[in-house]
Amino acid sequence: MQDLPFDTVLIANRGEIAVRIIKTLRKLGLRAAIAYHDIDAGTLAVTMADAAIAIDGRTPIAAYLDIPQIIAAARQANAGALHPGYGFLSESAEFARAVTSAGITFIGPSPQSIELMGDKIRARNFVQRHGFPVAPCAIEDDDPATFVCRARAMGPPLLVKPSAAGGGKGMQIVRDIGLLEDAIAQARSEAQRYFADGRLYVERYIEHPRHIEVQVLGDAFGNVTHLFERECSIQRRFQKVIEEAPAPRLSSALRQRICDTAVGIARAANYQGAGTVEFILGGEEFHFLEMNTRLQVEHPVTEMITGVDLVAEQIHIAAGHPLRLAQSDIVPRGHAIEARLCAEAPERGYAPTTGRVLVLDYPDGDGIRVDSGLSRGQRITTAFDPLLAKIIVHSPTRIKAAQKAHRAMREFVLLGCATNASFLARILADDKFLHGQIHTGYLEEHPHIAAGEPLANLSDFLAIGALLTGPVRESADAVSDLHAALGNWRN
Amino acid sequence: MNHSFEVDGVEYQLWLSRCRENYRLCLHDRVIAPIALSDCGDGRGVVTIASESRPVRFAIDGETVHVHMSGETRSLHYRDPLRTLATSKLEISQAVARAPMPGVVVVTRVSSGQSVCAGMALMSIESMKLETVIRSPQDGIVERVHFKEGESFEQDAVLVTLIEERS
């Protein structure tokens, strides 16, 4: 790596992504500092970091969203750069601006890019203006009085979305046009609650859509390259569960068109850093969904097929260097699948679970990577997102990758807090999944996958429970002693 | 003697007896024998059930046994017969509002000493990013609000204790 104008990087994040960033910083010979809330004291990221600075807040999340405290922590650690990870402040233009004004390099795009892509409607209009495909749409702000009329005129199916949305919250699918107004009312109240912004827009909904996204890298000199696509169609409530690269059942011509469109959008936006352009694909038609101006949760599948360390590239670009990868240098190899291990019970409507990590065994083997922030003894609470770890595998073919991921999920052991590991294993062994017959409604269409099946060997589990529970074993032994005594007496 | 374990929300009755140097598991519909578990330390063991041996990972946490075997994980909660009786007695004179799922207290609507009637809002909680109102299960007086605003709790935690109003 070329010279960097900083030697310490503050990580304004937690959990698995903080650990992931520390690993690259170490590889590059940089010091890692982390800002952490007390609830995360003793977690892997905090103990791995070279310096850890406590921050606080009314809630743990509030601490990780407190811009002045995080900038003070960066100063205290003598950090010349800051990595925001994903979530929290990673897509806050205000934060990027405050970091830069403090004389600290923000490892991410410019505040202008974040602002442009952060507002869905602004981003959509920008993309359309540059001649790239967008879905037919009715925007409330264009003329609030005729909004419902314009939406109705588009005809079903429709998707109602908050303008300020993220993470699929507040979205409503309308298949019966008579229910449009109810859906608008519900989306508005949710949008108001999540984003304090009730503005909406309505888009034509594509049935059985696939979510395809393209990883891009741009530098300060106008160079943009793509690192091919990821398929993220296995979703629950619009949140990704399993991601893979490359996308299955995609012709090379269509792949090329999608990747070229992503590069065109990033170039039009003067995009600098790592970003992801998301598309909805229905049949052979695709249109722009949104652009995420940060590292994605699912970035490891791209790293597995290209061999590129995306965090290292982010740092290289943030330091002001031109891209060191030409498009022809990026050659995808094999197939990668990522499964998101979460503290939740899909069998009970994805209810969050809590507990303490008592036993933790990671699967290992060739082509298996585990990105995790977990350590033994750690308490798992509902204070944050339920994502605990990611299991990523790489194999020569998709089927082999699915088999390897399935085996890895079954070998992953976390005792003390229920997880979705069995659910992930069920998807990875599902016939439709293995045939690549996936779309974003896959889990709703196949509810048996989330529901699970009764345990075939439940009696074996009960046997182990009985043998390991003092009172159960003691009452058995007490009877046995009596029998033994009787036996002795008879002899 | 009958023992009881709860797994995935269902209760199972069983008992264990000796079977030479091993054990015999009696379930309501069948008997499995011999069964044995050798503890290799650090939560590792080998279970032998009807002469078939398999490695297991386990952790004991109070009255809960967590087990991972053949790619599946389950938590088995031992229901102490004496404890179950004591709890049900307590809850006759004291009504409680429990957490339907883990979450955080958004706002408390009552304080101790206050009279409440059935169905009245006691507190709002947030879980899975949804707000839920916890309502009083019966008429009574608030004895204790167990969590303050902003505090988090686990599933089944007692949120509010009520005592019956004396007339």
Side-chain angles (χ1 to χ4, degrees):
Chain A
M1 171 147 292
Q2 281 169 278
D3 278 349
L4 295 172
F6 41 80
D7 58 15
T8 301
V9 175
L10 183 96
I11 299 162
N13 218 300
R14 61 178 300 283
E16 69 87 15
I17 195 61
V19 173
R20 157 75 192 86
I21 296 163
I22 292 172
K23 285 183 179 167
T24 291
L25 295 178
R26 282 192 176 167
K27 200 169 75 184
L28 301 178
L30 293 165
R31 275 181 80 240
I34 190 163
Y36 74 100
H37 181 273
D38 190 48
I39 198 171
D40 285 329
T43 57
L44 189 57
V46 175
T47 53
M48 274 176 80
D50 300 299
I53 294 121
I55 51 174
D56 59 19
R58 202 176 53 80
T59 62
I61 288 178
Y64 288 100
L65 294 175
D66 190 324
I67 296 176
Q69 273 198 86
I70 290 167
I71 288 178
R75 285 222 172 93
Q76 198 186 322
N78 278 320
L82 181 147
H83 198 302
Y86 54 68
F88 296 126
L89 292 166
S90 62
E91 290 178 285
S92 160
E94 183 197 350
F95 182 56
R97 207 167 269 131
V99 170
T100 311
S101 312
I104 299 163
T105 301
F106 181 74
I107 301 173
S110 67
Q112 293 78 9
S113 293
I114 299 175
E115 251 155 18
L116 171 65
M117 294 301 174
D119 184 302
K120 288 208 166 183
I121 293 171
R122 194 183 301 149
R124 182 195 175 280
N125 290 344
F126 175 86
V127 166
Q128 186 174 33
R129 204 163 57 241
H130 283 85
F132 298 109
V134 293
C137 156
I139 301 169
E140 182 170 29
D141 272 359
D142 288 351
D143 180 9
T146 61
F147 173 52
V148 177
C149 259
R150 286 182 288 129
R152 192 176 288 125
M154 286 164 60
L158 297 171
L159 185 61
V160 185
K161 296 162 123 181
S163 301
K169 293 179 190 74
M171 292 212 246
Q172 298 284 330
I173 297 170
V174 181
R175 291 196 173 86
D176 174 354
I177 205 75
L179 299 175
L180 175 65
E181 280 173 83
D182 287 348
I184 286 177
Q186 193 171 339
R188 193 185 307 288
S189 94
E190 284 183 35
Q192 192 64 50
R193 269 168 36 78
Y194 292 131
F195 313 110
D197 180 350
R199 292 175 307 135
L200 302 174
Y201 67 108
V202 173
E203 230 174 48
R204 164 68 52 73
Y205 180 69
I206 295 171
E207 292 288 358
H208 300 303
R210 288 169 67 182
H211 176 116
I212 308 278
E213 59 184 35
V214 178
Q215 177 71 55
V216 295
L217 288 173
D219 66 15
F221 308 93
N223 303 305
V224 179
T225 58
H226 70 79
L227 289 92
F228 296 92
E229 82 288 358
R230 295 185 283 259
E231 165 110 37
C232 312
S233 297
I234 305 294
Q235 302 185 356
R236 61 129 182 124
R237 296 178 190 154
F238 300 105
Q239 293 190 33
K240 297 163 190 166
V241 174
I242 284 182
E243 303 98 343
E244 57 186 304
R249 301 194 307 142
L250 199 64
S251 71
S252 55
L254 185 54
R255 168 172 295 119
Q256 189 67 51
R257 270 169 60 213
I258 293 175
C259 291
D260 287 348
T261 303
V263 167
I265 291 169
R267 190 168 280 140
N270 266 324
Y271 194 81
Q272 292 172 38
T276 296
V277 188
E278 298 188 334
F279 298 98
I280 290 295
L281 173 69
E284 296 279 300
E285 291 298 305
F286 64 93
H287 64 77
F288 173 78
L289 178 65
E290 61 181 65
M291 180 165 185
N292 291 316
T293 55
R294 55 168 161 85
L295 193 65
Q296 301 269 102
V297 175
E298 60 274 22
H299 76 277
V301 293
T302 299
E303 296 185 324
M304 294 291 257
I305 62 158
T306 60
V308 174
D309 178 337
L310 287 167
V311 174
E313 296 313 307
Q314 283 188 298
I315 293 169
H316 177 81
I317 296 164
H321 300 305
L323 287 185
R324 49 189 167 175
L325 294 165
Q327 191 63 64
S328 57
D329 296 334
I330 302 162
V331 182
R333 198 180 55 82
H335 199 98
I337 297 181
E338 172 182 281
R340 296 189 185 192
L341 188 87
C342 292
E344 63 186 24
E347 299 80 6
R348 292 188 285 118
Y350 300 95
T353 57
T354 57
R356 186 184 284 280
V357 181
L358 303 172
V359 167
L360 184 63
D361 296 342
Y362 293 143
D364 65 0
D366 270 358
I368 297 179
R369 162 176 166 181
V370 179
D371 279 18
S372 162
L374 290 172
S375 52
R376 221 163 148 164
Q378 184 183 334
R379 193 158 267 295
I380 295 165
T381 68
T382 55
F384 302 104
D385 186 271
L387 182 67
L388 298 176
K390 305 179 309 203
I391 291 80
I392 310 111
V393 304
H394 184 253
S395 285
T397 66
R398 184 172 186 267
I399 286 289
K400 286 202 168 90
Q403 287 164 346
K404 188 185 283 186
H406 179 258
R407 197 172 61 239
M409 283 324 305
R410 292 176 64 85
E411 282 171 11
F412 190 103
V413 183
L414 193 166
L415 299 183
C417 179
T419 72
N420 64 344
S422 305
F423 162 72
L424 295 170
R426 289 195 292 273
I427 298 172
L428 291 162
D430 178 63
D431 219 40
K432 288 247 167 36
F433 175 82
L434 293 175
H435 284 93
Q437 290 167 1
I438 52 179
H439 55 89
T440 59
Y442 165 86
L443 286 173
E444 277 106 65
E445 202 172 280
H446 307 292
H448 66 276
I449 295 175
E453 279 169 16
L455 210 49
N457 56 345
L458 177 70
S459 58
D460 296 355
F461 279 83
L462 289 170
I464 297 165
L467 289 168
L468 287 171
T469 300
V472 181
R473 202 156 172 162
E474 279 155 23
S475 56
D477 291 344
V479 172
S480 156
D481 286 342
L482 183 64
H483 278 217
L486 284 171
N488 285 337
W489 180 74
R490 272 187 193 158
N491 285 341
Chain B
M1 167 182 181
N2 255 320
H3 294 272
S4 169
F5 282 91
E6 183 249 296
V7 187
D8 292 339
V10 181
E11 286 224 1
Y12 299 91
Q13 304 284 324
L14 58 81
W15 78 90
L16 207 59
S17 61
R18 294 299 305 226
C19 168
R20 295 199 186 87
E21 64 273 29
N22 295 321
Y23 291 89
R24 174 190 295 118
L25 177 73
C26 305
L27 301 169
H28 83 280
D29 58 347
R30 65 201 149 124
V31 173
I32 301 168
I35 62 168
L37 182 78
S38 59
D39 188 341
C40 313
D42 197 33
R44 288 173 201 281
V46 175
V47 66
T48 306
I49 296 168
S51 73
E52 194 191 323
S53 292
R54 261 169 300 166
V56 293
R57 291 291 268 140
F58 63 86
I60 301 168
D61 183 15
E63 294 184 332
T64 298
V65 179
H66 304 280
V67 180
H68 179 94
M69 177 175 55
S70 310
E72 290 285 347
T73 301
R74 285 296 183 280
S75 298
L76 300 98
H77 308 283
Y78 178 62
R79 295 288 182 228
D80 184 329
L82 299 173
R83 179 87 54 83
T84 311
L85 201 65
T87 318
S88 62
K89 260 187 193 157
L90 181 76
E91 288 187 7
I92 290 169
S93 56
Q94 276 190 333
V96 294
R98 285 179 187 274
M101 50 180 79
V104 178
V105 177
V106 179
V107 66
T108 55
R109 307 258 182 221
V110 293
S111 45
S112 55
Q114 188 178 335
S115 291
V116 293
C117 45
M120 207 171 130
L122 300 176
M123 61 168 62
S124 289
I125 62 164
E126 187 175 283
S127 190
M128 297 173 77
K129 292 171 181 156
L130 289 176
E131 226 173 280
T132 309
V133 176
I134 301 296
R135 296 182 183 282
S136 180
Q138 62 171 67
D139 297 352
I141 296 171
V142 176
E143 191 199 48
R144 193 169 160 213
V145 181
H146 295 260
F147 294 91
K148 287 200 273 291
E149 290 174 10
E151 285 186 332
S152 60
F153 48 80
E154 317 249 311
Q155 185 170 351
D156 280 336
V158 174
L159 300 175
V160 177
T161 317
L162 304 170
I163 45 177
E164 274 180 60
E165 199 160 4
R166 283 172 289 266
S167 47

